[in-house]
Amino acid sequence: MKNSKHYKGFKSLLEILLVSSKLGFTSFGGPIAHLGYFHNEYIRKRKWMDEKSYADLVALCQFLPGPASSQVGIGIGVLRGGILGGIVSFIGFTLPSVLALIIFALLLRGRFVGEADWIHGLKIVAVAVVAQAILGMAKSLTPDLKRKTIALLSLVGTLIWQSVFTQIGVILLSAIIGFLLYRSQPDNDYKTKLQFPISKWLSICCLIVFFSLLFLLPLLREITSSNWIAIFDSFYRSGSLVFGGGHVVLPLLQNELIPAGWLNKGEFSAGYGAAQAVPGPLFTFAAYLGTVIYGWQGGLFATFAIFLPGFLLIVGFLPFWDLLRRNPKINGALMGINAAVVGILIAAFYDPIWTSSILSPRDFALAAILFSLLVYWKVPPWVIVITGAIGGSLIL
């Protein structure tokens, strides 16, 4: 019996690793596109969560600082396989781009890499994937006029007032509106109870570690004058203060690393170009930066430091999340937040995904073909990725 239980646990972890690794190799297009890939693989295909639970998890990760798409992947991994499942899910999704960027840093040291035609084709793939995800989420999360209005206002606000704090402000305001509109209206959409197999004590410890490191690392940096602690502090603090996706971390890292003399602007720009060309989370840019500073060991160290705060936060909140979202008053706030997430996703779909991808009628034609293949002909996403890369090379 015990061996059978261990076998099932190992099989579940192996499944999580294989699925997340596939996503790590194929998820191009940035954090919003990642949510589309996750939705297709975890929700539509494997049904590891229902639509409403996935939307609530996305809302939580959008609310927390850190790499939202990576946190969603960690949350799904935890739900499927406990804390080890979350770690395995993170490794599978992150490792491909980490290795690619470490190799790039070791081989090309500071030489700028321009955007190839096939990379532009992958950006067009992201247009199709995100469009499919938004349509599916909008159908379930904005079924009435009130929530459609919240989504519209969130879309408008996110596009007009673009700042680091806009997204968190929109979510907070939408939570208040949802609370006022739906606090007395029960929601029967929770078909399954989310039981994350994590003890509350472990979660509390994760939150304590998060805040302790955030405040103690700068002090240790001054006291010890250790370059390794300084690097850990810079990347950890950058990963702790990011709201709104991976692109927001770029100015934080630039301000931390370039004035300190760890690398120059040319090396920074080269790494950013490479990070855009690989799949997976943009936070893996840290792997390139750390490698430039201290070799491959520095790359792994910087990657660990920048992702650690997001991991601690999502693990810290997950055990309490199902209880909170089932509270009628909090559920009303979540209904508003979920509608806002739809608006935020549409805004991100326009800028930067659409504006950086659809530059000509040929781009739009390729996007329409990929969208039709994905939605109507049910072609697997990995085939869409290959088709987009080939199509980008042919039409440009």
Side-chain angles (χ1 to χ4, degrees):
M1 182 70 68
K2 189 175 181 181
N3 290 335
S4 176
K5 185 177 180 181
H6 287 165
Y7 173 75
K8 289 181 180 178
F10 174 78
K11 185 178 180 181
S12 178
L13 292 176
L14 181 61
E15 182 185 23
I16 294 170
L17 179 62
L18 292 175
V19 176
S20 60
S21 297
K22 183 176 77 169
L23 290 167
F25 278 106
T26 59
S27 295
F28 293 88
I32 304 301
H34 299 160
L35 297 179
Y37 285 103
F38 288 174
H39 182 271
N40 185 77
E41 187 69 31
Y42 291 131
I43 312 306
R44 294 172 62 91
K45 183 177 178 181
R46 300 181 181 274
K47 302 188 185 304
W48 285 2
M49 301 176 74
D50 58 68
E51 291 274 356
K52 188 70 183 293
S53 298
Y54 178 72
D56 286 348
L57 180 60
V58 171
L60 172 63
C61 296
Q62 293 280 359
F63 186 80
L64 295 174
S69 61
S70 297
Q71 289 170 311
V72 170
I74 291 168
I76 294 173
V78 168
L79 179 66
R80 190 71 177 175
I83 190 68
L84 286 178
I87 294 172
V88 167
S89 177
F90 165 75
I91 292 173
F93 182 58
T94 307
L95 190 59
S97 54
V98 168
L99 294 178
L101 290 171
I102 287 176
I103 293 171
F104 174 82
L106 292 174
L107 295 179
L108 301 181
R109 294 274 183 169
R111 285 190 291 169
F112 179 75
V113 177
E115 182 178 291
D117 292 343
W118 65 271
I119 295 176
H120 185 70
L122 294 177
K123 289 185 176 182
I124 297 175
V125 170
V127 172
V129 171
V130 175
Q132 181 200 34
I134 289 175
L135 288 175
M137 295 181 72
K139 183 178 180 180
S140 61
L141 301 181
T142 57
D144 54 61
L145 184 59
K146 293 177 183 177
R147 278 180 276 186
K148 285 181 171 66
T149 303
I150 293 174
L152 175 61
L153 293 176
S154 300
L155 161 65
V156 172
T158 303
L159 288 176
I160 293 180
W161 293 286
Q162 297 189 7
S163 74
V164 176
F165 302 103
T166 296
Q167 180 172 308
I168 191 69
V170 166
I171 289 176
L172 285 173
L173 185 59
S174 299
I176 295 172
I177 295 173
F179 172 79
L180 295 175
L181 292 177
Y182 296 104
R183 57 183 172 179
S184 60
Q185 177 177 330
D187 189 346
N188 299 318
D189 290 340
Y190 295 110
K191 299 177 181 178
T192 59
K193 183 178 181 180
L194 287 179
Q195 292 183 327
F196 292 96
I198 305 177
S199 71
K200 293 182 179 179
W201 283 111
L202 175 61
S203 297
I204 293 172
C205 288
C206 286
L207 295 176
I208 291 173
V209 171
F210 169 79
F211 288 106
S212 298
L213 289 175
L214 187 61
F215 291 108
L216 291 178
L217 281 173
L219 296 176
L220 289 174
R221 181 175 186 168
E222 294 297 324
I223 294 173
T224 63
S225 299
S226 166
N227 283 338
W228 285 101
I229 291 179
I231 290 172
F232 193 86
D233 173 51
S234 292
F235 283 95
Y236 183 88
R237 195 153 22 88
S238 297
S240 301
L241 302 176
V242 171
F243 290 93
H247 291 278
V248 182
V249 81
L250 296 175
L252 295 176
L253 290 174
Q254 187 170 3
N255 292 335
E256 287 284 339
L257 303 180
I258 294 178
W262 281 331
L263 72 167
N264 58 47
K265 290 183 178 179
E267 290 171 324
F268 190 91
S269 298
Y272 178 61
Q276 295 288 338
V278 298
L282 189 59
F283 266 47
T284 54
F285 182 31
Y288 166 86
L289 297 173
T291 303
V292 171
I293 298 170
Y294 272 135
W296 65 266
Q297 299 95 331
L300 295 177
F301 188 70
T303 302
F304 172 76
I306 201 169
F307 279 101
L308 180 60
F311 188 93
L312 291 172
L313 283 173
I314 190 64
V315 173
F317 274 90
L318 281 179
F320 308 100
W321 188 233
D322 193 67
L323 180 64
L324 290 173
R325 75 191 188 118
R326 287 176 180 274
N327 182 291
K329 294 181 180 179
I330 294 178
N331 181 60
L334 280 175
M335 292 170 73
I337 290 174
N338 286 336
V341 167
V342 173
I344 291 171
L345 290 176
I346 296 173
F349 175 72
Y350 170 71
D351 184 17
I353 293 177
W354 183 277
T355 56
S356 64
S357 305
I358 308 302
L359 307 178
S360 69
R362 291 182 178 182
D363 292 342
F364 182 79
L366 178 58
I369 292 171
L370 296 176
F371 178 82
S372 298
L373 290 174
L374 185 64
V375 176
Y376 303 121
W377 294 353
K378 310 299 181 184
V379 174
W382 65 269
V383 176
I384 301 298
V385 170
I386 295 174
T387 304
I390 296 173
S393 300
L394 294 176
I395 68 174
L396 296 176

